Amino acid sequence: MSESLDPITVPDRTVEGFVQEFLRELHFGQGVDMSRASTNDKYLALARTVRHHLMSRWMQTLRHQGQVQAKSVAYLSAEFLLGRQLDNALLAADIDGIVTEGLTSLGIDLDDLRQAEQEPGLGNGGLGRLAACFIDSLATLSVPSIGYGIRYEYGIFRQTFVDGWQVEQPDTWLELGSPWEFPHPEAAVKVNFGGSTETYIDDDGNARSRWLPGWSVIGVPYNYMVPGYRNGRVNTLRLWSARAEKSFDLQIFNSGDYADAVRAQTFAENISKVLYPEDSTPQGKELRLQQQYFFVACSLADFLDNVLPGDFDLTKLPDRIVFQLNDTHPVIAIPELMRLLVDDRGWSWEDAWAVTQQVFAYTCHTLLPEALEVWSVDLLGRLLPRHLEIIYRINDEFLAQVRKAYPDDELRVRRMSIIAEFPERAVRMAFLATVAGAKVNGVAELHSQLLRDKVLNDFSAYFPDKFTNVTNGVTPRRFVRMSNPALSGLITEAIGEGWVTDLGRLRELEPLADDAEFRRRFAEIKRGNKTRLVDLLAARDGIEISPDAMLDVMVKRLHEYKRQMLKLLHVITLYDRVTSGELPIDQVTPRTFAFGAKAAPGYKMAKQIIGLINAVGRTINTDPALERRLRVAFPANYNVTLAETLVPAADLSEQISLAGKEASGTGNMKFALNGALTIGTDDGANVEIRQLVGDDHFFLFGLTEPEVADIVDAGYRPSTYYAANPTLRRALDHIAHGTFSGGDQRVFEPVVSNLLHEDRFLVLADFQSYIDAQDRVEKAYADQDGWTRSAVLNVARSGFFSSDRSIKDYLDRIWHAEPVAPPFV
Ligand SMILES: [N-]=[N+]=N[C@]1([C@H](N)O)O[C@H](CO)[C@@H](O)[C@H](O)[C@H]1O
């Protein structure tokens, strides 16, 4: 059927039009009428109605893309931490006004329906959320692009606290329906695993190798709309779900072995069953490698077979696509493309390698050696024998070149080999990505420098032009416009609404920092956001805090390098100062310490620290001597949705990782953009935040990365800091002596002894500098108007941290692709 016969209708953008559409969806979509509709029925009907307003743009974007065949970006990521979709769709479609009015006319509160949406927690933390911000910016900048990932049946676990201890519950996000996805079983892809390889002579007499797979599964794509901000473009996010080729074996069933009849299905489904809940601590499990290869194989096959026109000349692939590898998780795509070109399409190795080297780019997100994935050759050889062969050949040819460049330097050759020999023979995925990728980037200036100087220094010496930096960013649509409507209103009133897609324009707010009335309204909005948080925490978690206290926030995954323990030692020090009588309670600045943090279920120390934070919180929150001036709030299950209320309410943003450990951080950017001041080390993107907002508006403390390196090289002995600093000693002794555990000295002993005897992330070494910085915070906060002025300047000077700017940097430095004007506006 020709396109002209398939006119794409755009729904009527009026209140009446919306109400009609909504009721139609309720009746014909949900099969209920208003009198019997549940909140979930109404939410699902609303979601589908809102989809209609984006559908025509989506289809025209796809058509247009098919016509222009412009160079595109495929963002390969094992994680996409999308957050709730409803409000983002309302914002992008610019219909939040008519929807609110329409629902009100039906006696429905939009906020009730908002709460019905389950957040798709398809990611662990920063890396997953960055991917979500990036696809939002790609669409808003009108860049032809597609996100490829995994549709986990269960996302990041739901965190609950039992007696203060983390207990994980499965994330049943699909349970009540998933209105934002479109399954396309007809575009399913078969993915092979296992088996062996064999060599043979092809028709031209060349010796070739081919894969004889052992088993296979089917990948079913689920498409999600990725709407640009009111620009007519809707890109696609394609998430793959695994199922068995033969989901049910009737013969086996008829033989009475019912369980066996569905064994294949259960086995296959496991591949996309659940997200691995580790952030920066990969476990190297076989199922994880199956997941990585599964979505990569589906995505490459989909792009080459379904997205590209049938007659596309693949030697021109570099002009048509760049596959951005989000960390090492999708790096198996490199040997997969070689296999598709050499084995399936009969190309020569040289021609295939020439193309492969141009179409991949790799983003590294960490500095922790243990976070750089390696796969044992045993496991790879068993699961993907042909890919291992291809990796061996890539490595052999690479090392031959290295030997040419550095004759008689076998140590360097061994250091640079993609195959590690120790502690076991394993493939270093970051090295494979660096050898094959056209570009390698870090995610903040300091991080990229440390990649060049330390983590990948041999490679930056060998490939000097390959290394670059793209500092992370966050989407201003979700993290300012949507989650902080009051501040957005004030900004738009002051400088117009262009900032939503051109965040650098926040600079125009700078003069208003000196405008008392503007400051008054800014402070009023911050207090309003605090009140919103107070109400949410009371309803959601039964936590009581005051909107009049300073809100000091530390929300991020629980990891020792992020140093939640340093924050806790400050809380305990304040507690000790008051309870010891050193500091009269009425001289204490009312402060709420808000924490949000999930620990990987297998990360014992992280779970201990969560237990300790809750124990300290319980003691402080129930101690009458503190007169509720100090409060600890640790709502469970920190996620994107909670962040959307927490971040706009914050006064102080805790970014206190050990210098040289946090690649970038992105929470730090969200807080600065919402008018919180940062207390932080010179680590990751903190350095660039401080440089832009100014030293007067940032509380810097702690050792720098070079100082850390010197102390560690010289041999760090944490106990000497304990011995030398009575304040530190008192704080640690409180934990050791059971102040927060009813006198039980064993329960948190591992935390204390780790700090005293190992303290890998120099908590004790940075303690005093941190406490001094916190005293500066207290003094600064006493001058509320001065604080507000700094907060305004933080907002005005943080426009750089838009993910739109990051994407422009990727386009200029790595992708060499252009935005394409949307098909229609
Ligand atoms: N994996 N990983 N890496 C991280 C985060 N943990 O997800 O990626 C984030 C996104 O690049 C960074 O901001 C953060 O510093 C880094 O630790």
Side-chain angles (χ1 to χ4, degrees):
M1 175 162 69
S2 80
E3 286 174 2
S4 59
L5 290 178
D6 171 15
I8 302 173
T9 52
V10 179
D12 169 359
R13 290 162 59 84
T14 62
V15 175
E16 301 67 37
F18 162 75
V19 168
Q20 262 186 14
E21 196 88 13
F22 172 74
L23 291 174
R24 272 177 63 81
E25 272 303 330
L26 202 59
H27 299 165
F28 302 117
Q30 285 309 110
V32 292
D33 63 15
M34 274 293 282
S35 65
R36 283 186 309 107
S38 67
T39 302
N40 196 52
D41 286 324
K42 293 169 190 164
Y43 161 67
L44 294 173
L46 172 61
R48 282 201 291 273
T49 308
V50 172
R51 285 178 355 185
H52 299 170
H53 286 264
L54 294 169
M55 202 61 78
S56 55
R57 301 174 194 190
W58 196 14
M59 292 178 193
Q60 289 206 339
T61 299
L62 287 169
R63 266 189 204 163
H64 194 240
Q65 198 129 306
Q67 288 149 8
V68 292
Q69 290 292 328
K71 180 167 185 180
S72 304
V73 174
Y75 201 82
L76 293 175
S77 179
E79 303 184 17
F80 285 95
L81 201 43
L82 297 169
R84 284 175 169 166
Q85 296 298 293
L86 177 61
D87 278 328
N88 190 56
L90 290 173
L91 195 67
D94 192 9
I95 54 171
D96 34 341
I98 64 172
V99 167
T100 308
E101 203 181 324
L103 290 174
T104 309
S105 72
L106 293 168
I108 300 172
D109 176 349
L110 173 55
D111 203 49
D112 292 345
L113 304 195
R114 271 195 190 102
Q115 305 312 326
E117 180 174 2
Q118 299 280 329
E119 169 179 331
L122 308 180
N124 278 287
L127 176 144
R129 181 58 234 178
L130 186 83
C133 286
F134 278 7
I135 56 174
D136 175 83
S137 287
L138 282 161
T140 297
L141 291 171
S142 204
V143 176
S145 61
I146 184 165
Y148 280 119
I150 303 173
R151 179 186 179 268
Y152 302 102
E153 195 177 331
Y154 296 93
I156 186 71
F157 61 84
R158 188 165 56 79
Q159 179 192 51
T160 61
F161 290 144
V162 178
D163 300 331
W165 299 102
Q166 172 179 297
V167 174
E168 302 84 22
Q169 303 294 342
D171 167 41
T172 53
W173 71 285
L174 290 167
E175 202 167 47
L176 297 174
S178 177
W180 302 103
E181 63 182 15
F182 298 77
H184 281 279
E186 81 289 352
V189 172
K190 180 177 174 183
V191 179
N192 295 318
F193 290 96
S196 61
T197 65
E198 69 170 6
T199 53
Y200 67 100
I201 305 302
D202 68 12
D203 306 346
D204 311 333
N206 306 317
R208 283 184 172 275
S209 174
R210 64 179 155 220
W211 188 11
L212 306 171
W215 50 282
S216 61
V217 301
I218 299 295
V220 175
Y222 286 71
N223 292 343
Y224 289 70
M225 290 189 278
V226 183
Y229 181 77
R230 304 177 182 179
N231 68 346
R233 174 174 281 274
V234 176
N235 282 342
T236 300
L237 170 63
R238 189 158 291 158
L239 301 181
W240 298 93
S241 176
R243 65 165 179 72
E245 214 165 351
K246 200 168 161 206
S247 47
F248 176 62
D249 192 313
L250 188 57
Q251 271 61 42
I252 296 177
F253 181 83
N254 291 344
S255 68
D257 187 340
Y258 308 129
D260 204 30
V262 291
R263 189 179 307 284
Q265 176 62 354
T266 319
F267 185 83
E269 275 179 4
N270 276 344
I271 291 180
S272 57
K273 182 67 73 181
V274 64
L275 167 78
Y276 271 84
E278 279 88 31
D279 187 68
S280 310
T281 49
Q283 298 300 305
K285 297 277 188 333
E286 173 164 352
L287 182 60
R288 173 70 171 172
L289 180 57
Q290 288 178 7
Q291 290 184 336
Q292 293 180 353
Y293 178 65
F294 166 72
F295 95 91
V296 155
C298 289
S299 306
L300 288 185
D302 178 66
F303 189 82
L304 297 186
D305 304 340
N306 301 336
V307 178
L308 288 179
D311 59 355
F312 184 83
D313 171 4
L314 286 176
T315 61
K316 301 272 182 303
L317 197 60
D319 307 331
R320 183 62 183 76
I321 189 76
V322 55
F323 295 104
Q324 188 64 38
L325 305 173
N326 197 24
D327 213 287
T328 51
H329 312 147
V331 167
I332 196 73
I334 293 164
E336 174 63 3
L337 182 61
M338 286 298 288
R339 187 187 69 79
L340 292 168
L341 296 175
V342 174
D343 297 6
D344 290 7
R345 289 169 175 76
W347 285 30
S348 72
W349 177 271
E350 292 66 26
D351 291 349
W353 184 238
V355 165
T356 298
Q357 282 188 93
Q358 295 175 68
V359 295
F360 289 107
Y362 160 55
T363 301
C364 174
H365 292 266
T366 188
L367 288 161
L368 302 179
E370 69 266 29
L372 295 171
E373 290 183 301
V374 295
W375 292 109
S376 74
V377 295
D378 292 349
L379 170 54
L380 251 176
R382 194 159 31 80
L383 198 65
L384 301 167
R386 180 63 184 130
H387 296 75
L388 183 59
E389 281 180 1
I390 291 169
I391 293 170
Y392 279 153
R393 180 160 176 186
I394 291 173
N395 193 41
D396 294 346
E397 296 192 353
F398 169 59
L399 295 185
Q401 291 163 4
V402 174
R403 281 194 181 89
K404 260 207 219 97
Y406 303 96
D408 319 317
D409 190 347
E410 268 314 291
L411 273 182
R412 180 187 294 267
V413 170
R414 195 165 307 161
R415 279 200 316 268
M416 295 178 76
S417 174
I418 295 170
I419 311 298
E421 302 297 339
F422 184 80
E424 59 172 344
R425 274 174 61 76
V427 175
R428 298 188 266 210
M429 301 309 272
F431 286 19
L432 173 58
T434 304
V435 169
K439 284 284 181 185
V440 175
N441 75 284
V443 289
E445 290 289 358
L446 174 62
H447 176 227
S448 298
Q449 197 55 47
L450 291 172
L451 283 182
R452 287 190 195 97
D453 300 347
K454 296 193 172 177
V455 183
L456 297 169
N457 68 320
D458 285 327
F459 292 91
S460 83
Y462 186 76
F463 299 119
D465 306 331
K466 198 175 266 197
F467 286 77
T468 185
N469 173 61
V470 177
T471 298
N472 281 347
V474 300
T475 171
R477 270 72 67 187
R478 182 174 291 271
F479 291 109
V480 184
R481 180 65 182 75
M482 205 174 94
S483 58
N484 200 340
L487 177 61
S488 301
L490 181 69
I491 295 171
T492 298
E493 190 187 311
I495 63 171
E497 64 175 351
W499 61 273
V500 179
T501 52
D502 180 5
L503 208 57
R505 297 198 44 200
L506 290 179
R507 273 273 173 196
E508 298 164 31
L509 291 173
E510 198 142 338
L512 293 165
D514 301 319
D515 177 316
E517 173 55 15
F518 185 88
R519 289 199 303 272
R520 186 193 64 72
R521 296 178 62 195
F522 188 97
E524 193 175 64
I525 287 166
K526 180 60 77 177
R527 192 176 184 293
N529 290 336
K530 282 182 180 179
T531 306
R532 214 162 34 110
L533 179 69
V534 167
D535 299 344
L536 174 72
L537 293 186
R540 181 186 184 277
D541 307 272
I543 292 174
E544 287 167 30
I545 60 170
S546 158
D548 300 315
M550 179 206 296
L551 188 63
D552 174 346
V553 181
M554 185 165 192
V555 287
K556 51 192 72 233
R557 287 296 297 257
L558 206 299
H559 198 293
E560 289 164 276
Y561 84 80
K562 295 175 184 282
R563 303 202 295 187
Q564 279 89 354
M565 270 314 294
L566 184 55
K567 175 74 250 165
L568 201 56
L569 288 176
H570 171 234
V571 175
I572 296 170
T573 297
L574 268 185
Y575 168 79
D576 179 72
R577 281 180 179 166
V578 174
T579 52
S580 65
E582 178 196 333
L583 183 65
I585 186 62
D586 56 8
Q587 286 176 28
V588 173
T589 304
R591 197 193 292 214
T592 298
F593 300 100
F595 290 89
K598 288 180 179 178
Y603 190 174
K604 211 156 171 298
M605 182 55 76
K607 295 181 92 166
Q608 274 262 317
I609 293 170
I610 285 180
L612 179 55
I613 295 171
N614 277 323
V616 172
R618 228 183 355 259
T619 303
I620 286 182
N621 293 346
T622 55
D623 187 330
L626 299 171
E627 297 177 7
R628 303 174 70 84
R629 291 172 82 93
L630 293 179
R631 305 284 291 167
V632 173
F634 193 169
N637 204 39
Y638 174 66
N639 58 15
V640 176
T641 305
L642 180 56
E644 289 167 5
T645 303
L646 243 168
V647 170
D651 296 305
L652 187 65
S653 157
E654 299 276 349
Q655 309 300 333
I656 61 176
S657 53
L658 177 64
K661 300 303 176 189
E662 187 72 89
S664 164
T666 44
N668 45 8
M669 300 166 181
K670 294 162 190 167
F671 282 107
L673 280 166
N674 282 277
L677 275 56
T678 304
I679 182 166
T681 52
D682 252 356
D683 194 21
N686 292 357
V687 177
E688 291 155 81
I689 292 173
R690 182 170 66 80
Q691 285 164 350
L692 283 166
V693 303
D695 290 345
D696 299 346
H697 311 291
F698 187 106
F699 299 98
L700 177 66
F701 77 95
L703 298 159
T704 61
E705 191 275 331
E707 289 167 341
V708 169
D710 294 347
I711 289 179
V712 171
D713 294 350
Y716 171 55
R717 295 183 47 245
S719 55
T720 57
Y721 291 82
Y722 169 86
N725 185 326
T727 308
L728 173 57
R729 213 169 34 250
R730 291 172 68 86
L732 283 169
D733 288 352
H734 268 299
I735 305 171
H737 300 163
T739 302
F740 309 112
S741 47
D744 176 343
Q745 300 191 357
R746 278 161 306 112
V747 62
F748 297 121
E749 192 279 334
V751 177
V752 177
S753 79
N754 172 279
L755 287 176
L756 285 175
H757 306 301
E758 195 190 328
D759 190 17
R760 183 178 161 208
F761 299 106
L762 279 64
V763 169
L764 304 198
D766 264 346
F767 173 79
Q768 194 53 50
S769 172
Y770 181 56
I771 296 297
D772 298 344
Q774 285 290 358
D775 291 342
R776 296 202 303 275
V777 166
E778 295 257 343
K779 290 194 184 59
Y781 195 75
D783 168 9
Q784 279 292 291
D785 197 39
W787 184 278
T788 303
R789 182 173 177 281
S790 290
V792 172
L793 290 173
N794 264 268
V795 175
R797 297 170 177 174
S798 295
F800 173 83
F801 299 107
S802 166
S803 48
D804 298 349
R805 185 271 318 149
S806 304
I807 293 300
K808 286 178 187 153
D809 288 348
Y810 275 96
L811 288 168
D812 299 344
R813 295 172 196 163
I814 298 176
W815 299 334
H816 312 303
E818 304 288 328
V820 171
F824 62 86
V825 175

